[in-house]
């Protein structure tokens, strides 16, 4: 059952890191970055575990931080855990992008 489906407005490098409040009742989460036409740069994803104050990097299967390349964002990242927020941090972004997050329980 889907619990939340959120997205940022269009963001740019100047907006800096932006977070979406997740619903901690959701245990499975999906994050993605959608690039506007012609956008370049990268966006790294972090999350704040429930009942903590700090964001930690979201790691992929190779233990590298999940980073979306705006010229070819690829597939969404899916992870499990009780999460209060998901953060999108741009590096060298030219153009605009949106951060998207969804959460559900099975």
């Amino acid at each position: 059952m889907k619990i939340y489906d959120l997205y940022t407005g269009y963001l740019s490098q100047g907006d800096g890191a932006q977070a979406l409040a997740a619903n901690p009742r959701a245990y499975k989460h999906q994050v993605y970055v959608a690039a506007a036409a012609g956008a370049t740069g990268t966006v790294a994803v972090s999350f704040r575990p429930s009942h903590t104050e700090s964001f930690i990097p979201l790691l992929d299967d190779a233990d590298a931080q999940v980073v979306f390349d705006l010229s070819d964002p690829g597939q969404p990242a899916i992870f499990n855990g009780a999460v209060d927020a998901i953060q999108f941090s741009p590096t060298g972004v030219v153009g605009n992008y949106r951060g998207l997050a969804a959460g559900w329980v099975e």
Side-chain angles (χ1 to χ4, degrees):
M1 171 176 73
K2 188 177 272 191
I3 293 180
Y4 74 89
D5 195 2
L6 304 168
Y7 52 90
T8 65
Y10 278 100
L11 301 172
S12 67
Q13 180 67 39
D15 294 314
Q18 296 290 313
L20 290 173
N23 187 322
R25 292 185 313 136
Y27 187 75
K28 187 173 283 275
H29 308 272
Q30 177 176 310
V31 295
Y32 186 67
V33 171
T40 60
T42 61
V43 178
V45 180
S46 302
F47 67 97
R48 188 176 66 224
S50 292
H51 310 296
T52 65
E53 296 182 16
S54 300
F55 284 91
I56 60 174
L58 175 60
L59 303 179
D60 62 17
D61 292 337
D63 287 334
Q65 184 170 17
V66 172
V67 177
F68 291 96
D69 181 337
L70 296 182
S71 63
D72 183 14
Q75 298 296 314
I78 297 173
F79 67 103
N80 296 326
V83 172
D84 285 341
I86 297 169
Q87 184 177 62
F88 300 91
S89 301
T91 300
V93 170
V94 175
N96 298 304
Y97 71 93
R98 294 177 84 170
L100 303 114
W104 64 94
V105 294
E106 294 183 310

